[in-house]
Amino acid sequence: MAYDDSAGQKLGRLKERGEKWKLRGDQLFVAKDAYNSLFQAQAEIFYPERADFFGNKSKGDERYDGIYTSVPQRMRRDMANNLGAMLRPRGKDWFKAVARPEELMDDKQTRLWLERATRTQRNIVYSPAANFTRAMSESDHDYTTFGNAIIRHTYNSANTGLLFTCAHLKDCAWSENHEGTVDELHERMHMTLRQCAGLFGKDNLPKEWRDALDKSPEREVQVQRCVAPVEDYTYDKTEKPRKTAKYMSMYMACGVDEKEAGLGEGHFNWFPYLVRRWMTVSGEPYGRSPCAGVALADARTLNIAQQALLKSVEWKVDPPKVAAHDAVVGEINLRAGAITYYDASAMGDGNRKVIENLESGDPRYGIELTDRLAMNQGRAFWQDLFKMPDKQMTAYEAGKWIEEYVRSAAPIFEPMESENATLMDAVFERAWSKGAFGDLDPSTQLPEGMPEGLQGARVDFEFETPLSIAYRELRTQQAEALVTRMTAQAQIAPDSLDNVDWDEVTRGAMGDTPADWARDPKLVSEMRAQRQEAQAEQQQKMEQAQALEVGLKARPENLNKLEDAMKEGA
């Protein structure tokens, strides 16, 4: 949580802004209650640890009461873990910085600088103190269950690196701008009065909190934070935020008079949250989970069916019994090796059993139903999509399978690539401002050593996802198929090879090759020109040598002819 009170010089305007944003946030939280009901229902069956959107549940509570099957929870767990492993594989370069427009990537120095920047950013993200892996793992489970997840990213308390944390969905409410981008987010958090006084100053606290501070400094209170675009018209000339600030961060006290709600204010050059939304519906600011949403009905049915199946199995193993009234002497003893006595005279003609089992249902029908419902859960969570075919495939079959995989996987991974780009862009800007990519020139604010062609260009990020891997594999398959086809074609019509730009085919097939492995296209052109010049020079030398050799061979004959002619003339 970053806070800067340098702008809070006039408390009157601060309190006015605090009152405005507090009312705005309360309205958004009321509107979100309808979504909280859905999220609570999904959490109860798929993610019980997060099933605290309503009520006063304590941390560490056992929240599995009423759950008779682990299939929905395992599906959520496996899907979330798969997403993390596929989107952010540890030990692999799953993101890289690239320049736009793409023509800039033809310059080797530009590519080398971007590769160094990528390594620097990777070291920043995966620093143990950054908490990136844990925060993103927690958000993957929220993302899979609810279709929404919130990641905070800011500088750590020592201002020596970044810190990533995952916020609880129940504590956040947001709205979109006219472009459909989330640029206003309200978060409710809990602090002690002592923490509030240390962060915002005792004089900025509401009167009620100031009075209670000395008596109960560890009393927990609720603070609401709002991050939204800076509105210049709400500031006096003496409290204007810095020119580069794009977002303000307002902290407000909850449970007090709104006119005293404003506690403090900070500013950011970038939005300090990543709001992950999986499947969006027009007109709704919150996302939905295409997995848990589809599987919710089957998950509930499976839970009820599993409960009935457990009863059925228990009845089959230990069925209820019936005995003739007054036929048994004493109590029925069902322990192993025990003896139960009965009155033989009470059994009549002797055809009746002393103790009989009541007939119960066949649990096999329940097992078939639960197995089918569990399979439906797997399909809802795309388990079949993440499995490679078991059979051996030809190159043609593999290419067709990759094409089908790309069509099926695109709706899953494309939204995630966009979210990754948003996060990495913010990290890049933060690292840039701290001189992580080179000391900044005071006049240009550009890192020292940055290639001239890259100055003023846009730096984006590309990601290694199953979708991009499949695209690249498909491109490689196409290149191999083209080489095979054109090799056969060249035997019939050699000139047909002129229709293919083999340089483009080669560069396309080696798209992910490190920059220091591949030569710059300009250097390749120069090498080819030098090679052609050397070949021409060599050809000229060979022709001169051949002419000299012919001359030497021809000279004796010419001399003899000349000598004969001279004799005849004499």
Side-chain angles (χ1 to χ4, degrees):
M1 178 177 66
Y3 170 66
D4 175 13
D5 63 352
S6 60
Q9 299 175 3
K10 295 189 67 176
L11 290 180
R13 296 292 286 175
L14 173 67
K15 296 298 183 182
E16 288 177 16
R17 292 191 294 274
E19 179 182 6
K20 168 192 170 181
W21 290 110
K22 178 64 168 60
L23 293 174
R24 168 69 173 163
D26 290 344
Q27 292 172 353
L28 290 178
F29 275 106
V30 169
K32 181 173 173 277
D33 280 344
Y35 294 94
N36 284 341
S37 299
L38 171 62
F39 299 151
Q40 177 70 18
Q42 291 173 324
E44 287 176 351
I45 190 69
F46 292 107
Y47 198 4
E49 296 85 353
R50 280 292 208 203
D52 55 358
F53 285 84
F54 297 105
N56 297 318
K57 295 186 177 180
S58 301
K59 297 177 180 178
D61 281 352
E62 192 274 312
R63 301 180 183 180
Y64 288 83
D65 185 41
I67 295 179
Y68 297 93
T69 175
S70 63
V71 172
Q73 299 96 59
R74 286 190 285 111
M75 292 295 174
R76 181 265 310 164
R77 179 198 64 190
D78 293 345
M79 182 65 181
N81 292 340
N82 283 335
L83 289 182
M86 289 186 291
L87 293 175
R88 302 177 302 277
R90 192 64 189 267
K92 292 186 178 180
D93 296 330
W94 56 271
F95 67 88
K96 65 178 179 180
V98 295
R100 295 289 184 265
E102 279 189 34
E103 290 75 16
L104 293 173
M105 296 299 292
D106 291 337
D107 180 63
K108 185 172 183 177
Q109 293 304 314
T110 296
R111 295 202 309 276
L112 288 172
W113 190 91
L114 291 171
E115 284 187 0
R116 288 193 296 270
T118 299
R119 289 195 295 270
T120 299
Q121 181 146 327
R122 179 179 175 81
N123 292 335
I124 293 172
V125 167
Y126 280 106
S127 169
N131 196 47
F132 178 78
T133 301
R134 172 178 289 185
M136 293 305 295
S137 177
E138 292 174 0
S139 76
D140 287 337
H141 290 271
D142 287 348
Y143 192 73
T144 300
T145 308
F146 312 117
N148 300 273
I150 302 95
I151 292 291
R152 311 183 197 94
H153 53 87
T154 186
Y155 297 115
N156 58 31
S157 57
N159 206 31
T160 56
L162 297 184
L163 177 65
F164 299 87
T165 52
C166 178
H168 197 313
L169 187 57
K170 74 171 182 179
D171 296 325
C172 299
W174 60 79
S175 66
E176 300 174 325
N177 61 17
H178 64 286
E179 295 179 344
T181 301
V182 175
D183 65 349
E184 177 185 339
L185 189 144
H186 297 254
E187 181 185 2
R188 288 174 176 170
M189 54 192 71
H190 296 276
M191 300 182 186
T192 64
L193 289 175
R194 183 170 61 87
Q195 290 172 332
C196 291
L199 188 61
F200 308 114
K202 181 178 179 179
D203 293 338
N204 286 345
L205 301 183
K207 183 178 183 304
E208 178 185 337
W209 289 10
R210 291 199 303 271
D211 294 342
L213 177 61
D214 293 333
K215 297 179 180 178
S216 306
E218 298 303 319
R219 171 186 161 188
E220 193 173 80
V221 294
Q222 191 176 71
V223 174
Q224 186 166 308
R225 180 197 194 192
C226 169
V227 177
V230 170
E231 296 178 344
D232 290 336
Y233 65 87
T234 63
Y235 295 89
D236 287 339
K237 292 182 179 180
T238 58
E239 57 174 2
K240 284 280 189 181
R242 60 181 181 272
K243 292 182 179 180
T244 58
K246 297 179 182 178
Y247 296 93
M248 68 88 198
S249 177
M250 174 68 68
Y251 293 85
M252 300 149 289
C254 297
V256 301
D257 186 353
E258 279 80 6
K259 293 185 177 354
E260 293 188 290
L263 296 174
E265 186 176 19
H267 299 90
F268 293 99
N269 295 355
W270 39 76
F271 196 61
Y273 291 93
L274 169 65
V275 180
R276 302 177 65 188
R277 296 183 294 172
W278 197 346
M279 184 183 77
T280 55
V281 180
S282 59
E284 294 188 359
Y286 298 93
R288 293 175 180 265
S289 170
C291 297
V294 172
L296 182 59
D298 279 342
R300 286 171 167 168
T301 305
L302 175 60
N303 195 54
I304 296 173
Q306 188 67 32
Q307 182 184 16
L309 178 59
L310 290 174
K311 287 183 178 180
S312 176
V313 172
E314 182 183 10
W315 287 344
K316 209 68 178 176
V317 174
D318 188 11
K321 297 171 178 61
V322 59
H325 183 60
D326 292 338
V328 178
V329 178
E331 295 182 355
I332 300 175
N333 197 334
L334 300 180
R335 292 178 302 170
I339 301 175
T340 299
Y341 297 94
Y342 68 95
D343 184 0
S345 62
M347 300 305 296
D349 56 7
N351 292 328
R352 295 175 56 193
K353 295 181 179 179
V354 179
I355 303 173
E356 297 182 86
N357 293 333
L358 285 178
E359 291 188 7
S360 58
D362 191 341
R364 288 177 296 179
Y365 297 110
I367 293 174
E368 291 177 3
L369 175 61
T370 54
D371 287 348
R372 187 165 68 250
L373 291 171
M375 290 178 60
N376 290 343
Q377 294 281 289
R379 285 193 288 269
F381 281 84
W382 284 306
Q383 284 195 341
D384 51 341
L385 185 62
F386 301 137
K387 293 181 180 179
M388 287 287 293
D390 296 331
K391 66 174 184 177
Q392 293 288 333
M393 294 185 292
T394 63
Y396 175 79
E397 290 174 333
K400 289 299 180 183
W401 182 86
I402 293 172
E403 289 181 9
E404 180 63 27
Y405 178 85
V406 167
R407 284 193 294 269
S408 301
I412 303 175
F413 295 106
E414 284 180 347
M416 302 176 193
E417 290 186 10
S418 175
E419 293 159 355
N420 280 341
T422 301
L423 178 61
M424 287 299 130
D425 286 343
V427 172
F428 185 78
E429 290 180 11
R430 287 183 181 275
W432 179 297
S433 68
K434 293 294 184 179
F437 306 113
D439 294 335
L440 299 181
D441 185 286
S443 59
T444 63
Q445 290 299 301
L446 294 174
E448 295 181 358
M450 190 178 194
E452 183 177 352
L454 194 55
Q455 299 176 11
R458 191 176 84 249
V459 176
D460 289 339
F461 284 87
E462 291 181 352
F463 301 92
E464 188 81 350
T465 67
L467 192 59
S468 62
I469 294 173
Y471 274 127
R472 189 168 60 252
E473 184 64 27
L474 181 60
R475 194 176 182 87
T476 302
Q477 293 274 355
Q478 291 172 339
E480 292 176 354
L482 177 64
V483 170
T484 301
R485 186 165 60 249
M486 295 309 297
T487 300
Q489 181 80 10
Q491 298 179 2
I492 303 173
D495 292 343
S496 63
L497 296 178
D498 298 337
N499 293 293
V500 180
D501 188 339
W502 293 106
D503 284 346
E504 288 298 323
V505 173
T506 303
R507 283 193 288 267
M510 54 186 295
D512 277 347
T513 302
D516 51 357
W517 289 11
R519 290 194 173 102
D520 191 310
K522 296 179 181 178
L523 178 60
V524 173
S525 299
E526 293 175 0
M527 291 175 59
R528 288 175 175 174
Q530 293 173 0
R531 186 184 300 123
Q532 291 176 356
E533 183 178 348
Q535 290 175 348
E537 183 178 348
Q538 183 66 21
Q539 181 68 24
Q540 183 178 5
K541 290 180 178 180
M542 290 178 61
E543 291 176 353
Q544 291 176 350
Q546 290 176 354
L548 179 60
E549 183 179 359
V550 170
L552 290 174
K553 291 179 179 180
R555 184 173 301 165
E557 181 181 352
N558 292 339
L559 289 176
N560 292 334
K561 290 182 178 180
L562 179 61
E563 184 178 355
D564 293 340
M566 291 176 64
K567 288 180 178 179
E568 292 177 0

